[in-house]
Amino acid sequence: MSTNPAGNTGGGPSPRYVFAPAETVAVPVVGSDALFPVHRIYCVGRNYAAHAVEMGHDPDKELPFFFQKNPDNLSIGDGEFPYPPRSSDVHHEIELVVALSGGGKDIPLESAMDHVFGYAVALDMTRRDLQAEAKKLGRPWEVAKAFEHSAPCAPLVPASQIGHPTEGAVWLDVNGERRQTGDLNQLIWKVPEMISYLSSMFELRAGDLIFSGTPSGVAAVERGDRMHAHIDGIGALKVTVA
């Protein structure tokens, strides 16, 4: 809803803001000069069984749960990840991103994929020490997950080009050494299930991104480390810790 000093929402003068609104955050699209405008970022927690176990949870007993990052947490394309303040234990988490071109409430499972625009490779960078403290105190995770530059993301690949991958190797190297390995077929909650379940709690919209969870092998990075993330059929992302 737009803000209008005159009190009307259409047909009147243009809104006059107290300062210039922030620019729309957008992700480039492979093979196009068009941009994908981002509305919200939802992240699925512990969506690979091995990662759930390494984090001390039983993947057979949990419904999916979600947390959020902010659109302006995105860093687009290869580049640098500035090591964040107030942490000495920052972890990498490679993730498949699902980009939505449509939305709604209570989306049926059988039509969930109709809302998918495309996919990308991304990193959910996490201040693990702050997350552990938040868990211990029963507090939200924003300080651990939604900090500046916490979501490096490659350009989106449209589903019209690659279809809807249900399998493919997922891996991340740090300084040429393999850290994380998995496969898209190991997702506990598949893409249509994520969309349908999430839409029962939020009204999804075009422009939403869903970070779909990470395989096992998450670990700390240090300044100067070079991360190389890859998902078969989707693409790659190379990020240096600055």
Side-chain angles (χ1 to χ4, degrees):
M1 177 177 176
S2 63
T3 302
N4 192 309
N8 67 53
T9 56
S14 298
R16 183 171 60 86
Y17 299 100
V18 296
F19 53 83
E23 293 184 6
T24 299
V25 176
V27 182
V29 177
V30 173
S32 171
D33 59 0
L35 298 174
F36 180 93
V38 179
H39 176 241
R40 291 177 180 168
I41 299 176
Y42 300 96
C43 304
V44 187
R46 297 190 290 267
N47 201 24
Y48 286 78
H51 176 58
V53 171
E54 77 176 349
M55 298 304 291
H57 297 268
D58 184 346
D60 296 326
K61 293 183 179 181
E62 290 188 336
L63 288 172
F65 76 94
F66 298 85
F67 57 91
Q68 288 185 303
K69 289 180 181 280
N70 302 310
D72 60 4
N73 295 154
L74 288 166
S75 292
I76 306 302
D78 296 346
E80 293 186 341
F81 164 73
Y83 199 96
R86 302 294 296 274
S87 178
S88 59
D89 189 23
V90 178
H91 284 207
H92 55 72
E93 299 188 11
I94 181 175
E95 311 224 353
L96 170 72
V97 173
V98 182
L100 302 186
S101 56
K105 298 179 180 178
D106 299 315
I107 297 172
L109 190 64
E110 58 271 16
S111 64
M113 299 305 289
D114 296 341
H115 301 281
V116 176
F117 170 80
Y119 302 90
V121 181
L123 298 173
D124 168 19
M125 300 304 295
T126 303
R127 293 194 277 206
R128 192 71 74 200
D129 44 1
L130 299 189
Q131 184 188 36
E133 182 179 351
K135 287 180 178 179
K136 185 190 306 181
L137 298 173
R139 294 177 177 173
W141 291 4
E142 279 82 359
V143 295
K145 292 287 191 177
F147 56 92
E148 284 70 21
H149 310 289
S150 62
C153 184
L156 288 166
V157 183
S160 60
Q161 295 182 16
I162 60 171
H164 298 289
T166 57
E167 61 182 7
V170 179
W171 54 260
L172 181 139
D173 290 351
V174 176
N175 301 326
E177 178 183 350
R178 188 61 43 92
R179 289 276 189 91
Q180 290 187 260
T181 56
D183 194 287
L184 295 178
N185 62 19
Q186 297 170 345
L187 285 167
I188 298 172
W189 295 90
K190 310 302 184 185
V191 173
E193 294 170 327
M194 285 185 267
I195 294 170
S196 182
Y197 187 87
L198 186 57
S199 73
S200 71
M201 297 184 288
F202 298 93
E203 181 176 1
L204 300 181
R205 294 187 183 181
D208 286 342
L209 299 179
I210 303 175
F211 282 48
S212 62
T214 194
S216 61
V218 299
V221 294
E222 299 179 357
R223 291 170 179 83
D225 282 348
R226 301 181 308 278
M227 297 180 287
H228 181 188
H230 175 93
I231 301 177
D232 281 0
I234 306 294
L237 180 65
K238 296 181 179 180
V239 178
T240 300
V241 182

